């Protein structure tokens, strides 16, 4: 088996330049995803939980938050396919005592029912075989215990993706197919499909809440434009279009102009819609 288990393509993706962008922009993304993190953790019942798992934990912001909620006695593990993001996670001063493991959540061998809670902030939409991945994840969670994660609703309800994507398509003329069920941030935006994955894995009490929220930042419009060049659907379309430096500048300027229009009371904001998914193993 390869270094990245059954998810070689995604393993490479998250260990190469795009993963590096998440390393560089970790603080910026945590700021933007603050409201969504609050939604993920809202009302999370950790009573009697001693061993938590954060799937696709990235640089570990939610792993540390989970540990803080679970308390000193609890063990918390962050699992991710990207060594680059895990290295950043491990280097954080508040990561002391947390385990960060490099593994493919789809194919790694979990200790059966080794965890009594599993969470994820946008870390579970990148599997070649999501049916198998969720069967594997279920095997890792104690019977009767919760798995909870957030993932993106359709792109039409997510301005942070749609707006930069439209900008790049307008400027470059690149044809960028609407993302479907392939591994990627929007892989689970069809609720019926998502529900069928969790049912096939034999989770029970499946609940998929649709929650409207926002992505906001106090960053300058220039800094925000730079981030949009490196993360999200605009970035993916730029990669596809492979524009000249001149066109890249045009895109950056368009992102700055859009940021100026959005900025209010010091915040640049985007409408966002997510699913908060809860299921019992
Ligand atoms: C959008 S990022 C989210 C990271 C983090 N949860 C956060 O909110 O900052 C997706 C994460 O999923 C991880 N990932 C992708 N495929 C994976 C797999 N098969 N197994 C484990 N982690 C995976 C990536 O390396 C990346 O860290």
């Amino acid at each position: 088996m390869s270094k990245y288990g059954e998810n070689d393509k995604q393993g490479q993706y998250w260990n190469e330049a795009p993963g590096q962008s998440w390393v560089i922009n970790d603080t910026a993304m945590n700021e933007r995803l603050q409201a969504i993190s609050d939604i993920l953790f809202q009302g999370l019942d950790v009573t009697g939980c001693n061993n938590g798992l954060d799937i696709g934990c990235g640089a570990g912001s939610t792993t540390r938050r989970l540990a803080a909620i679970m308390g000193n006695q609890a063990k918390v593990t962050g699992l991710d396919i990207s060594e680059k993001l895990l290295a950043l996670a491990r280097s954080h001063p508040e990561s002391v005592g947390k385990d960060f493991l490099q593994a493919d959540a789809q194919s790694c061998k979990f200790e059966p029912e080794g965890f009594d809670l599993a969470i994820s902030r946008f870390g579970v939409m990148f599997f070649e075989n999501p049916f198998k991945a969720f069967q594997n994840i279920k095997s890792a969670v104690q019977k009767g215990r919760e798995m909870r994660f957030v993932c993106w609703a359709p792109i039409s309800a997510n301005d942070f993706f749609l707006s930069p994507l439209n900008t790049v398509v307008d400027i470059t003329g690149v044809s960028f197919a609407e993302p479907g069920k392939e591994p990627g941030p929007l892989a689970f935006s069809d609720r019926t499909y998502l529900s069928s994955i969790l049912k096939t894995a034999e989770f029970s009490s499946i609940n998929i809440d649709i929650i409207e929220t926002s992505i906001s930042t106090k960053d300058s419009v220039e800094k925000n434009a730079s981030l949009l060049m490196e993360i999200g659907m605009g970035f993916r379309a730029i990669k596809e279009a492979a524009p000249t430096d001149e066109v890249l500048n045009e895109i950056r300027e368009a992102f700055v102009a859009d940021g100026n229009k959005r900025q209010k009371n010091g915040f640049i904001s985007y409408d966002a819609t997510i699913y908060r998914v809860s299921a019992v193993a």
Side-chain angles (χ1 to χ4, degrees), residues 28 31-32 215-220 224 263 266-270:
E31 183 209 12
R32 283 160 178 76
I215 289 181
S216 282
T217 177
K218 274 184 164 172
D219 279 348
S220 67
N224 186 55
Q263 206 169 37
F267 286 92
I268 304 168
S269 298
Y270 300 83

Side-chain angles (χ1 to χ4, degrees), residues 245-277:
D245 285 353
E246 200 181 331
V247 175
L248 269 179
N249 269 339
E250 200 184 324
I251 295 170
R252 186 184 296 275
E253 278 166 20
F255 286 167
V256 168
D258 180 68
N260 275 322
K261 279 191 222 145
R262 291 174 185 279
Q263 206 169 37
K264 231 186 239 165
N265 304 323
F267 286 92
I268 304 168
S269 298
Y270 300 83
D271 290 339
T273 307
I274 58 161
Y275 298 148
R276 181 176 56 196
V277 182

Side-chain angles (χ1 to χ4, degrees), residues 4 6-11 13-14 18 22 55-58 80-81 85 104-106 120-130 133-134 137 149-152 161 181-188 197 233 236:
Y4 306 124
E6 294 173 5
N7 279 284
D8 215 29
K9 219 165 140 192
Q10 288 297 318
Y13 183 90
W14 291 102
W22 275 81
I55 309 155
C57 65
D80 202 282
I81 206 162
L85 281 156
D104 166 27
Q106 178 180 310
S120 182
R121 184 182 77 178
F122 301 131
V124 292
M125 302 90 81
F126 304 92
F127 303 124
E128 282 300 331
N129 186 340
F134 276 91
I137 291 166
F149 64 85
V150 286
C151 61
W152 299 105
F161 288 145
K181 295 180 175 58
E182 67 277 8
L186 295 153
F188 292 167
I197 292 169
M233 287 296 154
R236 286 175 186 241

